[in-house]
C-alpha cells in the first residue's frame, strides 16, 4: 500500500510538468503583439479618431474584442486573422497598395496570441518601473560582482556569447576622461594611472574626474543641446541673446550634484517656489530657450503660441520621452495622447506674459546680471539724458504754442505740418529717430539751438542705450496676473479656437493629486513624482547613451509605442528605481555605470561579434563611438 501511494503521487507530480512542457510559449502582448499592431494597424485603426477607418479601433481591449475583429481563443473565427492572411487584394490588411506588410512570422504570432485568449496589456513604458531581482549567473566570473554586469552577462549567457577582455589602462583613462570631462587626459595623468597597482585605481580616477569642474561643463553639453540652448535667436535676423548666465547655472548644478528632481523643479517652475531666490528664477531660463521670430509683419499672437508649443513639446521630449508634437494637430496615431491631453499640458505654459511682439533676445520677464560698475555707468548715462530732456521739453512746448490757432468752432489747430506737430506731441522719449530727423530738418534754420539740443539728445540716448545693452539680461519665466484661457486649436492654428481646456496631464499617465494647483510647479512635481513611469527611465537612458553612444532604448527621445524596445529592459528598470531611491543622485548614477566591467571592456570587435551583433546592442564589448565635434576641437586646441 505505501509503495502504491508513492507511485500514484509520483504520477500526479509528473503529469503537470509534461503538460506544461508541451504547451507553446505564452505570447507577450506588450513585447510581441503591440509592436505589430502599432506598426501596421494603428495609423488607420488607432487612437486618432479623425484618421480611423471603418469605425474600427484596435488600440483598446474593449474596442478590439467587442467588435468581433478579435475572438479570444478562436483565431480561425477572428476577422483580424482572416483579413491579414487573405490573398484577395481587395480584402487583405494592411491594404495591398500600401507599404506596410505583415510577415508570416508576425501573422503566426497574432494567431498564437488570439488562441491563447488574446490577453491584453499596455506599452511597457507606461507602467511604473519595479525593481527586478539581480540575475544569478550560471557561470559567474570572479569579476562579476557589479549589478549592471549581472544583467548584461545574463543576457549574454542566453545568447551563448562571452564578454570581451578588459581594456588596457591606457585605453581606460582616455575613455573615461573624455566621457566625464570632454577632454583627453594629460601624459602625466596617464603615467600616474598606469603606474598605480591598487585594485581601486580606476574607482579613484572616476572620483577625481567627477570632482573636476570640467565634469559639469561636459554634462552641460548634452543638456544644453536637448534644452535647445543658443546664443542667438534663430530665424533670419538671428540677433544675439544673453542666456549664458543660465548656461553657467546648469554647469554649477551638475558640479554641485544638484538632485535631478530639484534640477527639474527649478527649471520648470523655480519662479513659483515659495520665496523664490534669484538663482531659482534664473533656472527658469530653460523655458525661454526657444527661437524668437522678429520678422516684420509677423503676427505677435502667432509668435506667442509658437513659443508655447516649443515649451510644451520640449518638456515632453526631455523628461517624458514622448512625441507630443503629433498631438498638436490630431490625436496621436500610435500613443494614447489626445489633442485634449496636448492642450491641457500647453495650458501650463500659456500663462506667460510674453506677447510675441518684437524680436529682442531680452524680452521681459528678465533678470539682469549687472556689475556695480555697469550700474553706475547706466545711472550716469540716464541722468545725463534726463537733463537734456528737461531742456528740450519747454522749447518744444513753446514751439507748439506759437504755432497754435483756434478755429471758429473752438477746435485746436496747428500751423505746423502734421508730421512735425505729431513728432512734437510725442515728446523726446516717445519719438523714433526718424521723427527727430524730421524735426531737425524742419527747424534747422529757424531754431538752431533747438536742433543742437536734439543732436545732443540723440548722442546721450545712444550712450544710455549702450550702457543698458551692456548689462546681461536673461529671459526667465513668469505668469500673467490674470489667468489666460486656453483652447484646443484647430490644426495648431493660433486663431482657430475649439473647446476651452484647463491645465492637466495626459489621461493615460498617473493623475495629478486632487489638490494640485493649475500651475507649472504642480506639473514639475508630477514630472518627478515617484509614480511617473517615464522620467527616471528617460533620464537613466540618456546618461547611458552619453557613455555608451547608444541608449538601452535606442530611440532616446521616443519611449512611445513606435520607439525601440529596450535591449535590456530589466536593467533599465533596475537603474531607474536605483536612481530615484538614491535621491535622484546624478553623480552616483554616472559612477555606477562607468565602474561596471561592461563599461571597462575592450572595444575591439571580433568577426563573430560583428556578424551577430554589429551595433553592440548586447554589450559584449566596450563602447566605441565617434567623438562629437566639440571634443575634437578641444583636443586639437
Amino acid at each position: 500500500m505505501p509503495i502504491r501511494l508513492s507511485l500514484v503521487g509520483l504520477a500526479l507530480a509528473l503529469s503537470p510538468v509534461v503538460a506544461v512542457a508541451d504547451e507553446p510559449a505564452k505570447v507577450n502582448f506588450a513585447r510581441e503583439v503591440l509592436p505589430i499592431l502599432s506598426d501596421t494597424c494603428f495609423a488607420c485603426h488607432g487612437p486618432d479618431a479623425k484618421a480611423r477607418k471603418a469605425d474600427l479601433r484596435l488600440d483598446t481591449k474593449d474596442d478590439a474584442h467587442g467588435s468581433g475583429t478579435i475572438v479570444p481563443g478562436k483565431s480561425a473565427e477572428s476577422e483580424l486573422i482572416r483579413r491579414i492572411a487573405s490573398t484577395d487584394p481587395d480584402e487583405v490588411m494592411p491594404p495591398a497598395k500600401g507599404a506596410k506588410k505583415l510577415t508570416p512570422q508576425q501573422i503566426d504570432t497574432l494567431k498564437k496570441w488570439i488562441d491563447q485568449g488574446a490577453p491584453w496589456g499596455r506599452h511597457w513604458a507606461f507602467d511604473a518601473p519595479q525593481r527586478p531581482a539581480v540575475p544569478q549567473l550560471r557561470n559567474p566570473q570572479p569579476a562579476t560582482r557589479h549589478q549592471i554586469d549581472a544583467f548584461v552577462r545574463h543576457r549574454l549567457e542566453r545568447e551563448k556569447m562571452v564578454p570581451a577582455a578588459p581594456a588596457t589602462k591606457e585605453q581606460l583613462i582616455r575613455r573615461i576622461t573624455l566621457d566625464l570631462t570632454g577632454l583627453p587626459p594629460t601624459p602625466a595623468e596617464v603615467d600616474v594611472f598606469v603606474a598605480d597597482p591598487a585594485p581601486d585605481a580606476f574607482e579613484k580616477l572616476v572620483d577625481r574626474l567627477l570632482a573636476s569642474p570640467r565634469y559639469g561643463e561636459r554634462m552641460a553639453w548634452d543638456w544644453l543641446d536637448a534644452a535647445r540652448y543658443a546664443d542667438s535667436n534663430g530665424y533670419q535676423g538671428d540677433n544675439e541673446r544673453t542666456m549664458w548666465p543660465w548656461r553657467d547655472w546648469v554647469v554649477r548644478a551638475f558640479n554641485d550634484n544638484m538632485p535631478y528632481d530639484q534640477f527639474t523643479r527649478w527649471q520648470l517652475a523655480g519662479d513659483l517656489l515659495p520665496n523664490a531666490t534669484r538663482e531659482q528664477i534664473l533656472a527658469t531660463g530653460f523655458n525661454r530657450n526657444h527661437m524668437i521670430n522678429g520678422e516684420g509683419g509677423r503676427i505677435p499672437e502667432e509668435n506667442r503660441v509658437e513659443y508655447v508649443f516649443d515649451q510644451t513639446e520640449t518638456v515632453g521630449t526631455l523628461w517624458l520621452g514622448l512625441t507630443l508634437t503629433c498631438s498638436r494637430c490630431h490625436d496621436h496615431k500610435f500613443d494614447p495622447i489626445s489633442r485634449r491631453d496636448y492642450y491641457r499640458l500647453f495650458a501650463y505654459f500659456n500663462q506667460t506674459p510674453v506677447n510675441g511682439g518684437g524680436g529682442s533676445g531680452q524680452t521681459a520677464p528678465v533678470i539682469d546680471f549687472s556689475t556695480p560698475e555697469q550700474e553706475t555707468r547706466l545711472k550716469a548715462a540716464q541722468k545725463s539724458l534726463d537733463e537734456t530732456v528737461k531742456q528740450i521739453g519747454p522749447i518744444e512746448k513753446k514751439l507748439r504754442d506759437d504755432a497754435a490757432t483756434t478755429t471758429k468752432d473752438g477746435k485746436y489747430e496747428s500751423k505746423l505740418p502734421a508730421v512735425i506737430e505729431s513728432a512734437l506731441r510725442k515728446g523726446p522719449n516717445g519719438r523714433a529717430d526718424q521723427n527727430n530727423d524730421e524735426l531737425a530738418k524742419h527747424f534747422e534754420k529757424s531754431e538752431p539751438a533747438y536742433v543742437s539740443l536734439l543732436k545732443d539728445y540723440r548722442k546721450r540716448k545712444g550712450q544710455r542705450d549702450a550702457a543698458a545693452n551692456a548689462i546681461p539680461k536673461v529671459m526667465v519665466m513668469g505668469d500673467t496676473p490674470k489667468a489666460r484661457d486656453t483652447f484646443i486649436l484647430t490644426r495648431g492654428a493660433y486663431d482657430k479656437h475649439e473647446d476651452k481646456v484647463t491645465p492637466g496631464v495626459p489621461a493615460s499617465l498617473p493623475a495629478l493629486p486632487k489638490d494640485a494647483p493649475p500651475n507649472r510647479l504642480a506639473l514639475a512635481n508630477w514630472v518627478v513624482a515617484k509614480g511617473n513611469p517615464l522620467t527616471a527611465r528617460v533620464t537613466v537612458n540618456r546618461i547611458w547613451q552619453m557613455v555608451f553612444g547608444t541608449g538601452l532604448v535606442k530611440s532616446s527621445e521616443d519611449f512611445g509605442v513606435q520607439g525601440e524596445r529596450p535591449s535590456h529592459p530589466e536593467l533599465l528598470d533596475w537603474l531607474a528605481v536605483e536612481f530615484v531611491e538614491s535621491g535622484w543622485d546624478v553623480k552616483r548614477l554616472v559612477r555606477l555605470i562607468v565602474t561596471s566591467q561592461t563599461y571597462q571592456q575592450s572595444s575591439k570587435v571580433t568577426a563573430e561579434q560583428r556578424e551577430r551583433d554589429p551595433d553592440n546592442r548586447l554589450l559584449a564589448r566596450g563602447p566605441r563611438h565617434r567623438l562629437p565635434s566639440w571634443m575634437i576641437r578641444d583636443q586639437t586646441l
Side-chain angles (χ1 to χ4, degrees):
M1 180 71 86
I3 295 176
R4 194 168 64 198
L5 285 173
S6 298
L7 292 174
V8 171
L10 180 61
L12 290 172
L14 289 176
S15 57
V17 176
V18 175
V20 171
D22 290 338
E23 288 180 2
K26 288 287 185 183
V27 177
N28 183 289
F29 176 83
R31 185 172 64 246
E32 300 173 78
V33 175
L34 185 56
I36 298 174
L37 297 178
S38 170
D39 189 48
T40 59
C41 305
F42 284 3
C44 297
H45 305 293
D48 186 2
K50 292 186 177 179
R52 200 174 299 141
K53 305 292 178 60
D55 198 27
L56 173 61
R57 188 171 185 178
L58 293 175
D59 63 308
T60 68
K61 178 180 180 180
D62 291 344
D63 287 294
H65 286 189
S67 64
T69 306
I70 294 173
V71 182
K74 300 177 180 179
S75 64
E77 298 179 17
S78 297
E79 181 70 5
L80 175 69
I81 300 302
R82 190 184 74 80
R83 296 294 290 272
I84 64 177
S86 175
T87 56
D88 185 341
D90 294 329
E91 283 200 336
V92 67
M93 286 290 165
K97 61 183 179 181
K100 299 289 185 182
K101 305 292 179 186
L102 283 169
T103 66
Q105 292 81 7
Q106 289 174 321
I107 294 174
D108 187 56
T109 295
L110 293 175
K111 285 180 179 178
K112 288 179 180 177
W113 168 65
I114 294 175
D115 286 335
Q116 291 172 2
W120 212 261
R122 68 174 185 166
H123 184 51
W124 64 270
F126 296 134
D127 286 326
Q130 304 295 320
R131 184 189 290 273
V134 177
Q136 298 296 313
L137 302 180
R138 289 194 297 271
N139 299 304
Q141 301 176 20
T144 311
R145 58 183 187 272
H146 196 292
Q147 296 95 330
I148 289 176
D149 298 328
F151 283 103
V152 172
R153 291 180 179 179
H154 181 66
R155 175 74 187 276
L156 291 176
E157 281 187 351
R158 295 206 317 264
E159 301 291 338
K160 294 182 171 53
M161 295 178 68
V162 295
T168 66
K169 295 189 78 172
E170 292 87 351
Q171 291 169 338
L172 270 183
I173 187 171
R174 176 175 170 78
R175 179 186 298 173
I176 191 65
T177 308
L178 283 168
D179 282 345
L180 297 193
T181 69
L183 296 166
T186 65
E189 289 170 340
V190 174
D191 291 342
V192 169
F193 177 64
V194 170
D196 188 348
D200 63 344
F202 185 71
E203 284 78 5
K204 290 188 296 184
L205 170 60
V206 170
D207 291 337
R208 175 175 67 79
L209 296 173
L210 290 173
S212 165
R214 303 288 84 79
Y215 162 80
E217 295 169 0
R218 189 270 171 271
M219 294 294 287
W221 265 104
D222 287 348
W223 186 259
L224 298 181
D225 188 30
R228 71 264 194 256
Y229 172 82
D231 291 313
S232 61
N233 291 340
Y235 292 107
Q236 73 287 343
D238 207 25
N239 296 325
E240 291 185 358
R241 60 173 66 178
T242 51
M243 296 301 290
W244 58 261
W246 173 79
R247 174 203 66 196
D248 291 354
W249 174 84
V250 172
V251 173
R252 289 195 304 274
F254 278 118
N255 275 330
D256 294 344
N257 201 26
M258 177 182 285
Y260 190 77
D261 58 341
Q262 180 180 323
F263 183 70
T264 297
R265 287 189 185 93
W266 283 27
Q267 290 184 89
L268 289 181
D271 58 308
L272 299 178
L273 291 167
N275 303 311
T277 65
R278 182 179 176 84
E279 190 175 23
Q280 289 169 336
I281 295 171
L282 171 62
T284 68
F286 164 85
N287 298 287
R288 303 292 302 282
N289 280 325
H290 55 76
M291 296 168 68
I292 294 178
N293 193 335
E295 179 185 354
R298 178 81 171 180
I299 300 169
E301 177 65 5
E302 186 174 12
N303 282 341
R304 189 192 70 78
V305 169
E306 287 289 340
Y307 303 159
V308 180
F309 282 152
D310 179 276
Q311 292 165 346
T312 305
E313 292 161 13
T314 301
V315 169
T317 299
L318 199 47
W319 277 282
L320 305 178
L322 294 177
T323 52
L324 291 182
T325 309
C326 301
S327 299
R328 185 195 294 189
C329 299
H330 53 76
D331 293 343
H332 204 293
K333 292 186 181 299
F334 305 103
D335 296 327
I337 308 293
S338 66
R339 274 203 309 154
R340 181 171 295 275
D341 288 334
Y342 178 94
Y343 285 99
R344 294 194 74 194
L345 280 172
F346 177 95
Y348 286 112
F349 301 94
N350 197 35
Q351 308 310 316
T352 171
V354 174
N355 64 13
S360 172
Q362 297 185 345
T363 304
V366 296
I367 53 175
D368 71 67
F369 280 78
S370 57
T371 63
E373 294 78 11
Q374 288 173 323
E375 286 287 353
T376 300
R377 191 177 301 119
L378 178 59
K379 288 179 181 178
Q382 185 65 55
K383 182 179 179 181
S384 176
L385 179 63
D386 292 343
E387 289 172 354
T388 305
V389 170
K390 286 181 181 178
Q391 296 178 57
I392 290 175
I395 296 175
E396 292 187 344
K397 182 178 184 303
K398 185 175 185 303
L399 291 174
R400 290 189 68 207
D401 290 346
D402 290 348
T405 60
T406 304
T407 62
K408 293 180 180 179
D409 54 4
K411 291 184 178 179
Y412 172 85
E413 193 174 83
S414 176
K415 300 176 193 175
L416 296 170
V419 67
I420 301 301
E421 165 64 20
S422 174
L424 290 172
R425 189 167 59 248
K426 291 176 182 176
N429 291 333
R431 293 193 288 258
D433 287 343
Q434 180 183 349
N435 299 140
N436 286 319
D437 290 340
E438 292 163 347
L439 289 171
K441 184 176 181 180
H442 182 80
F443 292 107
E444 183 178 11
K445 294 181 180 178
S446 61
E447 301 288 343
Y450 168 62
V451 172
S452 178
L453 274 176
L454 287 178
K455 184 177 180 180
D456 189 47
Y457 167 82
R458 294 185 68 169
K459 175 184 175 182
R460 297 190 185 195
K461 182 176 180 292
Q463 293 171 340
R464 191 278 312 273
D465 291 347
N469 291 335
I471 295 175
K473 294 184 180 67
V474 183
M475 297 183 292
V476 293
M477 204 61 172
D479 287 344
T480 56
K482 182 181 178 182
R484 180 186 283 115
D485 289 340
T486 299
F487 300 89
I488 295 175
L489 303 178
T490 304
R491 300 194 65 78
Y494 76 97
D495 57 347
K496 298 290 189 288
H497 292 184
E498 295 181 23
D499 295 345
K500 182 178 175 180
V501 295
T502 55
V505 299
S508 57
L509 294 173
L512 288 161
K514 291 182 180 179
D515 59 347
N519 61 25
R520 282 178 285 110
L521 184 56
L523 176 64
N525 288 332
W526 174 83
V527 165
V528 293
K530 191 172 182 180
N532 190 310
L534 293 166
T535 303
R537 281 183 175 128
V538 169
T539 306
V540 163
N541 189 68
R542 188 179 297 112
I543 292 176
W544 187 279
Q545 176 180 267
M546 181 186 85
V547 295
F548 279 92
T550 303
L552 294 169
V553 175
K554 189 174 183 180
S555 53
S556 58
E557 295 186 349
D558 185 4
F559 272 54
V561 175
Q562 289 292 99
E564 186 183 274
R565 281 191 56 80
S567 59
H568 298 73
E570 293 83 7
L571 173 57
L572 178 64
D573 281 5
W574 188 90
L575 287 170
V577 174
E578 183 75 10
F579 183 42
V580 174
E581 293 184 355
S582 74
W584 301 86
D585 189 327
V586 176
K587 281 190 178 182
R588 183 178 181 276
L589 174 63
V590 172
R591 191 182 193 279
L592 182 66
I593 293 173
V594 300
T595 54
S596 67
Q597 294 298 314
T598 301
Y599 175 78
Q600 296 175 55
Q601 295 176 105
S602 168
S603 60
K604 185 180 291 186
V605 58
T606 66
E608 180 189 5
Q609 288 173 335
R610 185 180 291 111
E611 176 69 24
R612 292 192 58 188
D613 185 19
D615 297 326
N616 196 27
R617 301 298 287 133
L618 298 177
L619 301 168
R621 57 187 185 274
R624 185 178 187 178
H625 49 94
R626 293 183 183 276
L627 297 180
S629 59
W630 53 273
M631 274 193 196
I632 295 174
R633 176 183 179 275
D634 285 347
Q635 289 192 85
T636 303
L637 293 175

